[in-house]
Amino acid sequence: MNIHERLLVIDFGSQYTHLICRRVRELKVRSELIPWDRFSIDLIEEDVKGIILSGGPKSIYEDDAPTIDPYIFTYARKRKIPILGICYGHQLMAHLLGGDVSRGKKREYGPAILEIVGESKLLTGLPKKSRVWMSHGDLVIKLPSNMKISGRTENCPIAAYESIDGLFFGVQFHPEVKHTEYGMKILDNFLKLCGFRRDWVISDIINQKIKEIRQRVGGSRVLLAASGGVDSTVTAKLIHEAIGDNLHLVFINTGFLREGEVEWVLNMLRNLGFKNIHYVDASDRFLKALLGVEHPEEKRKIFARIYAEVLEEAAKKLEREYGRFRFLAQGTIYPDRVESGATSSTTDKIKSHHNVVMPTLSSLEKLEPLADFYKDEVRKIARLLGIPKEVWGRHPFPGPGLLVRILGSITEEKIRIARRAHKIVEEEAKKWGIYDELWQIFPVVLDSKAVGVKGDARSYEYIVAIRAVKSEDAMTAEFARLPWQFLEHVAKRIVNEVEGVNRVVYDVTHKPPATIEYE
Ligand code: XMP
């Protein structure tokens, strides 16, 4: 049994499901995501005080449409657990309780004006009319008995409903997205109706986590592969607070790190007070195995294998020197752990990085103190632990590093270009005050060359693409509308300072359909 009261979000595959979870946590309630096909009534333990049914891309009339055991409603009524259906969840609840859903003739996606109808517990405190973010194909056209309409929009006569007993609620729009003007107010109202204590307070949770780690690890030794990224650094700091110098950090130079990164990471770790920092320079080994490799999955696989081998060797060596390790700590965070319809591809990718079996490493118990947290919560923990902004404000950088930002065959020339261009892009983004507003900004070395003219001569050189995105959690992302002057300046610097590049392009695709990284 958890010490926090919990809200379950049952995931029907919407790209926003993790966002619902995060919004609920912002309102100080612990939320957990459960894929619909893994849900069963016995997961509604005693500490569960509310349930949200998420949106999803399917129509309830499709053959393989996700659904849920209808007994959930009888059970929830018995225990007085409120349920909120959002979008697909709104339709599914109406359908399972005996209402009618019609197959929509046209999809509505985007802003709409919600008008409140009559008295509503869920929409209490909202103005009569407000902007919401709609997304639907099908429509609820008839409500189950004991339900009433509480909101409508121009194209959606039943945009919100609630049961007379004040337990079940449905909204066709997305309260979790920022474009819904009073979305947070609606979620807050729902949490109030559930009667939550609001006990998900990060500053309290930290001390409790440290205590948990201390109890579990005792006097044993812990190994952690540090990268200098936010997740592994915060993981290390939490464990260090709990057990001190029985924590050993291994930092591997893969050769695909950015310019100056090795020195920066080592310095930063020393400044944070870690004593046992073991640096392994494996750059030649990675390079030898990866030179000439072209295919993205092959690159990732080779990288993952060598990384595991190098870490395994380091673990064996350290065990000879210090004695046995009992734990392998990892900076796994909540979205890595919980698959949702919208994130499974990213999750698979990240998993493939960890999936290589090595005897010493795989004999160790996993220690993942951040496995309950989202990235923004991890950043909050970092701040509260006194970790400097240059660490928690750092953009995510994938494990395989520059490798996934060099398209086509890996060559030393392309690595050099990626490294130099990275330095320029990051430096300028910080100087122009753009860095902190972005989820990520980075250059990518394309696999093709283009003709240009430098001085008097025609050149035939590489093209560098700049990728800059805004995002809340990397599940979806928008390309950033950066000032032309900034892009012009960065392009000029790259072409002038990075030998072998004569053209810079800017990527204007969102995720989806593109991903943030290129490989
Ligand atoms: P994509 O490219 O799937 O990326 O839109 C989503 C987020 O995940 C990061 N990413 C990775 N992080 N190891 C990591 O630790 C990886 O192999 C990896 N691949 C992608 C990416 O930078 C973005 O923030």
Side-chain angles (χ1 to χ4, degrees):
M1 168 101 161
N2 288 284
I3 62 160
H4 298 281
E5 294 180 339
R6 286 182 303 146
L7 176 133
L8 300 185
V9 178
I10 302 175
D11 178 22
F12 294 103
S14 156
Q15 61 185 8
Y16 296 129
T17 312
H18 273 300
L19 193 55
I20 302 175
C21 266
R22 285 188 38 237
R23 293 282 182 255
V24 169
R25 286 167 178 227
E26 281 170 34
L27 293 164
K28 301 191 172 62
V29 170
R30 179 179 180 133
S31 57
E32 284 179 9
L33 187 150
I34 300 175
W36 67 273
D37 50 353
R38 288 199 216 136
F39 173 77
S40 71
I41 300 288
D42 50 340
L43 291 177
I44 313 177
E45 290 175 60
E46 215 174 297
D47 52 1
V48 173
K49 296 275 187 288
I51 295 171
I52 291 182
L53 309 178
S54 89
K58 297 260 178 178
S59 156
I60 58 164
Y61 291 113
E62 282 175 57
D63 285 343
D64 52 352
T67 188
I68 196 167
D69 181 355
Y71 181 65
I72 185 175
F73 300 108
T74 315
Y75 182 81
R77 220 175 251 132
K78 221 186 305 177
R79 273 194 44 200
K80 301 222 171 337
I81 299 175
I83 300 182
L84 169 64
I86 295 175
C87 193
Y88 183 85
H90 158 96
Q91 295 163 11
L92 185 68
M93 173 154 53
H95 173 70
L96 293 175
L97 288 171
D100 275 341
V101 176
S102 83
R103 283 209 92 140
K105 286 182 197 70
K106 73 175 204 261
R107 274 195 81 81
E108 187 184 9
Y109 187 82
I113 298 295
L114 174 77
E115 188 186 342
I116 295 179
V117 180
E119 290 283 305
S120 164
K121 286 196 164 83
L122 186 71
L123 306 176
T124 191
L126 267 70
K128 181 94 179 142
K129 287 186 177 179
S130 65
R131 201 182 59 246
V132 295
W133 191 256
M134 270 292 183
S135 163
H136 67 89
D138 298 348
L139 283 175
V140 175
I141 49 164
K142 186 178 145 263
L143 285 176
S145 53
N146 298 319
M147 293 266 191
K148 61 183 175 95
I149 298 177
S150 52
R152 66 172 163 237
T153 69
E154 192 185 338
N155 296 321
C156 180
I158 309 183
Y161 62 75
E162 53 194 65
S163 61
I164 310 289
D165 61 7
L167 273 181
F168 301 149
F169 305 87
V171 288
Q172 181 56 67
F173 54 89
H174 289 277
E176 70 277 18
V177 306
K178 289 227 161 99
H179 311 289
T180 295
E181 222 176 336
Y182 292 92
M184 281 304 259
K185 173 77 184 149
I186 296 171
L187 291 175
D188 189 55
N189 284 344
F190 179 65
L191 299 177
K192 270 191 198 129
L193 291 163
C194 299
F196 276 106
R197 263 200 315 259
R198 313 291 175 120
D199 54 5
W200 187 251
V201 181
I202 297 293
S203 54
D204 298 346
I205 299 169
I206 293 178
N207 290 329
Q208 186 195 314
K209 270 281 158 210
I210 293 172
K211 215 155 78 191
E212 262 173 46
I213 297 169
R214 195 175 294 136
Q215 268 168 5
R216 182 159 169 226
V217 175
S220 307
R221 262 176 289 276
V222 178
L223 179 73
L224 182 144
S227 68
V230 189
D231 303 343
S232 73
T233 308
V234 176
T235 303
K237 188 75 182 157
L238 273 175
I239 298 173
H240 196 245
E241 294 282 319
I243 65 159
D245 294 330
N246 272 340
L247 172 68
H248 289 256
L249 306 183
V250 174
F251 172 49
I252 299 170
N253 181 354
T254 64
F256 289 93
L257 298 176
R258 292 160 286 189
E259 201 173 300
E261 190 157 17
V262 169
E263 299 72 28
W264 183 86
V265 173
L266 289 172
N267 247 329
M268 180 272 288
L269 293 174
R270 273 185 221 116
N271 290 340
L272 281 175
F274 299 107
K275 207 172 105 209
N276 294 313
I277 305 166
H278 311 284
Y279 171 62
V280 183
D281 182 358
S283 49
D284 285 345
R285 191 157 155 188
F286 278 93
L287 191 65
K288 221 164 111 202
L290 284 158
L291 276 182
V293 180
E294 278 185 35
H295 197 270
E297 263 315 294
E298 201 187 341
K299 285 179 191 168
R300 277 180 179 271
K301 275 205 180 105
I302 295 173
F303 186 95
R305 176 176 51 79
I306 298 179
Y307 194 91
E309 284 170 8
V310 172
L311 188 60
E312 170 83 7
E313 285 162 23
K316 277 192 185 136
K317 183 163 164 276
L318 291 174
E319 285 202 334
R320 284 194 294 274
E321 213 170 311
Y322 294 92
R324 276 191 62 73
F325 288 106
R326 193 174 135 208
F327 293 95
L328 177 67
Q330 288 181 334
T332 315
I333 65 172
Y334 192 63
D336 301 339
R337 190 164 64 102
V338 186
E339 281 174 38
S340 93
T343 59
S344 49
S345 70
T346 316
T347 316
D348 288 346
K349 223 175 6 185
I350 292 169
K351 265 195 230 142
S352 81
H353 186 64
H354 290 294
N355 257 354
V356 193
V357 179
M358 293 285 145
T360 304
L361 296 180
S362 56
S363 72
L364 303 180
E365 291 174 44
K366 291 247 175 74
L367 187 62
E368 299 176 319
L370 299 182
D372 286 334
F373 302 105
Y374 282 100
K375 194 88 177 181
D376 49 343
E377 295 174 320
V378 173
R379 290 193 163 124
K380 226 180 255 171
I381 297 175
R383 262 177 297 189
L384 289 162
L385 287 172
I387 292 173
K389 182 174 176 213
E390 57 168 0
V391 181
W392 59 253
R394 260 185 128 196
H395 290 173
F397 185 62
L402 300 180
L403 182 66
V404 295
R405 296 177 180 175
I406 296 171
L407 305 194
S409 178
I410 297 294
T411 64
E412 289 190 70
E413 187 188 15
K414 281 179 175 168
I415 299 175
R416 175 187 55 77
I417 290 173
R419 208 170 269 147
R420 284 298 306 146
H422 245 282
K423 174 99 177 157
I424 293 169
V425 170
E426 236 178 89
E427 207 172 271
E428 292 298 335
K430 283 179 183 161
K431 214 186 274 171
W432 285 62
I434 284 168
Y435 188 88
D436 288 345
E437 286 166 25
L438 300 175
W439 177 265
Q440 276 169 301
I441 179 165
F442 55 86
V444 178
V445 183
L446 304 190
D447 193 29
S448 30
K449 290 185 174 180
V451 171
V453 51
K454 272 186 173 174
D456 290 334
R458 281 167 82 79
S459 61
Y460 186 54
E461 295 177 332
Y462 282 109
I463 307 170
V464 164
I466 298 191
R467 181 74 166 141
V469 293
K470 293 198 164 194
S471 176
E472 290 214 43
D473 49 20
M475 316 292 167
T476 60
E478 263 184 36
F479 80 83
R481 289 164 174 83
L482 296 179
W484 285 115
Q485 294 92 324
F486 167 79
L487 289 170
E488 183 182 359
H489 179 70
V490 170
K492 207 191 250 165
R493 268 199 72 187
I494 291 177
V495 170
N496 283 339
E497 296 174 35
V498 186
E499 205 181 311
V501 181
N502 66 3
R503 202 175 283 255
V504 175
V505 296
Y506 188 56
D507 183 343
V508 290
T509 16
H510 301 311
K511 171 185 179 176
T515 49
I516 297 176
E517 302 291 343
Y518 273 43
E519 286 201 340

